[in-house]
Amino acid sequence: MGFATLSLSTLLLALTVSATPIVIQESSIKLPLARRLNVTSVHNLLRHDVARAKFLRAKAEAKLSGVSNFTPRAVIEEQVDNQAVTYIASVGVGSPATTYQLLVDTGSSNTWVGATASYVRTSTSVQTSNRVSVTYGSGSFSGTEFTDTVTIAPGVLVIPGQSIGVASRSTGFAGTDGIIGIGPVDLTLGTLSPATNTLIPTVTDNAFSKGIISSNLIGISFEPTTSEEILNGEITWGGTDSSKFTGALSFAPLTGTTPASEFWGISQTIRYSTGTSILTENSGIVDTGTTLLLVASDAFSRYRTATGAVPDNNTGLLRITAAQLTNLKSLFFTINGATFEFTANAQLFPRALNTAIGGTASNIYLIVGNLGTPSGEGFDFVNGYAFLERFYSVFDTANKRIGFATTPFTTATTN
């Protein structure tokens, strides 16, 4: 997979936030993303995603309570596998650039390399006096901080002096080279040593501050697929790509409710069909590092009752019969007054990939999982890939909001 491709047109796109028209520049800087299903070992998708969610929540709560020596294993008690479903971007580091395959993560903000391919020093590589370390729900890395040139789109989006981590040790990242972190910058606090109180600007922050992109935002397009690996996603830097969505974008402000407020957090309600409430107005996060759609335990119980689904021990997912599939109704997400329909097909794990996750080929699995904690605690859902593959999303740092729009794949019957 190569670097970002470019289009030549620059347009102005009128969008809607409530009743107020907003103008966002359409960007020509596009980074392709490859969706990859890790089939090197049997995975329990639910266990992986719940472990990540527990970790993110615990880390945020520790930070909010002033705990500086957060120990993840005090909360995350079970070992999890490498990432199961990921989106990978080809990113260049150095001059001349070495290309690394990096996980795209909105739930963290450090960018680092060295998990598989070794870091190659060039004339633009500058080692700092800091060590850097980050722990994730399914892995960790530690190493040395460098500043270097990061290339997203050759000749167009080239970011000099970007802080990167160079791993001397990493776990949980087999088959990838590291992470490009596009979460809120505050998530980098405490990752450097001895400069523990120093924030590390993300690649998006630096591209904006250096005048390389005109807006401090990114647009993300994912698509559902039945392939184990396919180039079918895109990040647009500094604007949006209107060819990837239909209708208008609807924006929601970032939530002020903790601990979701430490991430790309929003508030939403979820209902099943026309009248069954699954989740009342509560806060949670939007996360590209999560495969499933996770909801609070009481919401999950209501969803199970509504669908008649039963747990599947092999995959960790819910399972329904062919007859229940015929009667499966849409979920409706209401986010800042805008309602998004999540169809019955969108609720299915791709049946063509059942055996790749240790399931049975003829079974029908659902992608709604149990977060394991009750609603009302400020971290009541995680909208992961399963949600984002059906809606275009905009992560707007400058205006502290997230936007969603329907796409040609919102009502697809891919799964």
Side-chain angles (χ1 to χ4, degrees):
M1 182 172 63
F3 286 127
T5 56
L6 303 177
S7 65
L8 298 177
S9 62
T10 301
L11 306 172
L12 290 180
L13 181 64
L15 306 174
T16 302
V17 182
S18 300
T20 306
I22 300 294
V23 177
I24 291 182
Q25 184 171 347
E26 180 148 311
S27 174
S28 62
I29 305 173
K30 299 168 185 177
L31 176 66
L33 303 175
R35 187 186 192 273
R36 180 183 299 173
L37 178 64
N38 187 341
V39 294
T40 57
S41 61
V42 175
H43 294 277
N44 185 306
L45 294 181
L46 181 64
R47 185 180 67 172
H48 173 278
D49 280 0
V50 170
R52 175 180 170 87
K54 285 181 179 179
F55 170 78
L56 293 178
R57 175 176 174 168
K59 184 177 182 180
E61 289 175 338
K63 177 190 170 189
L64 291 165
S65 63
V67 175
S68 58
N69 58 341
F70 172 64
T71 304
R73 288 302 168 199
V75 178
I76 311 305
E77 298 175 348
E78 61 177 337
Q79 185 63 41
V80 296
D81 297 314
N82 295 320
Q83 289 276 94
V85 181
T86 57
Y87 272 91
I88 306 292
S90 292
V91 177
V93 179
S95 183
T98 298
T99 303
Y100 299 94
Q101 305 301 309
L102 304 183
L103 302 174
V104 176
D105 189 8
T106 58
S108 67
S109 302
N110 293 75
T111 293
W112 62 274
V113 300
T116 301
S118 298
Y119 176 60
V120 178
R121 294 198 195 196
T122 68
S123 61
T124 56
S125 306
V126 179
Q127 183 174 342
T128 76
S129 59
N130 284 306
R131 299 281 297 168
V132 58
S133 64
V134 183
T135 301
Y136 306 89
S138 58
S140 64
F141 95 94
S142 61
T144 305
E145 184 195 30
F146 281 73
T147 61
D148 211 335
T149 298
V150 171
T151 299
I152 304 295
V156 179
L157 184 46
V158 180
I159 308 166
Q162 173 66 43
S163 169
I164 62 168
V166 174
S168 56
R169 184 193 63 82
S170 66
T171 59
F173 294 94
T176 61
D177 296 322
I179 284 180
I180 179 168
I182 51 177
V185 68
D186 286 356
L187 294 177
T188 65
L189 186 66
T191 61
L192 293 177
S193 177
T196 54
N197 294 321
T198 299
L199 294 176
I200 304 171
T202 67
V203 288
T204 317
D205 292 335
N206 269 337
F208 176 69
S209 67
K210 296 177 187 297
I212 304 170
I213 58 176
S214 58
S215 300
N216 193 357
L217 62 81
I218 57 173
I220 299 184
S221 168
F222 296 138
E223 300 172 10
T225 182
T226 57
S227 300
E228 290 182 4
E229 183 166 355
I230 187 173
L231 189 70
N232 75 335
E234 174 191 278
I235 299 181
T236 307
W237 302 81
T240 59
D241 181 353
S242 61
S243 71
K244 298 296 184 180
F245 59 91
T246 56
L249 279 160
S250 296
F251 282 91
L254 297 184
T255 183
T257 302
T258 59
S261 58
E262 294 297 299
F263 305 96
W264 286 107
I266 57 172
S267 295
Q268 68 182 20
T269 66
I270 306 174
R271 77 172 191 273
Y272 180 81
S273 188
T274 56
T276 302
S277 175
I278 301 298
L279 182 71
T280 58
E281 182 83 16
N282 280 293
S283 294
I285 69 172
V286 182
D287 180 38
T288 62
T290 297
T291 301
L292 306 173
L293 168 65
L294 301 179
V295 295
S297 54
D298 50 310
F300 179 76
S301 178
R302 287 187 283 270
Y303 179 74
R304 274 195 61 185
T305 299
T307 61
V310 297
D312 180 79
N313 292 332
N314 291 331
T315 63
L317 304 179
L318 288 177
R319 187 179 72 245
I320 57 173
T321 65
Q324 289 169 327
L325 174 59
T326 301
N327 294 318
L328 190 64
K329 302 297 191 293
S330 294
L331 288 169
F332 294 89
F333 293 72
T334 300
I335 304 170
N336 198 33
T339 298
F340 299 91
E341 182 177 1
F342 195 65
T343 65
N345 188 267
Q347 296 167 56
L348 309 182
F349 186 81
R351 282 167 281 183
L353 299 176
N354 280 358
T355 57
I357 60 166
T360 301
S362 59
N363 281 351
I364 303 169
Y365 301 111
L366 302 177
I367 52 74
V368 178
N370 187 354
L371 200 52
T373 51
S375 62
E377 296 187 352
F379 201 99
D380 297 342
F381 60 84
V382 181
N383 291 356
Y385 286 136
F387 180 86
L388 294 170
E389 285 175 342
R390 299 293 176 146
F391 303 102
Y392 189 82
S393 54
V394 177
F395 297 82
D396 187 346
T397 299
N399 295 297
K400 299 181 179 179
R401 60 184 183 171
I402 301 178
F404 299 105
T406 55
T407 78
F409 300 95
T410 297
T411 58
T413 56
T414 308
N415 296 338

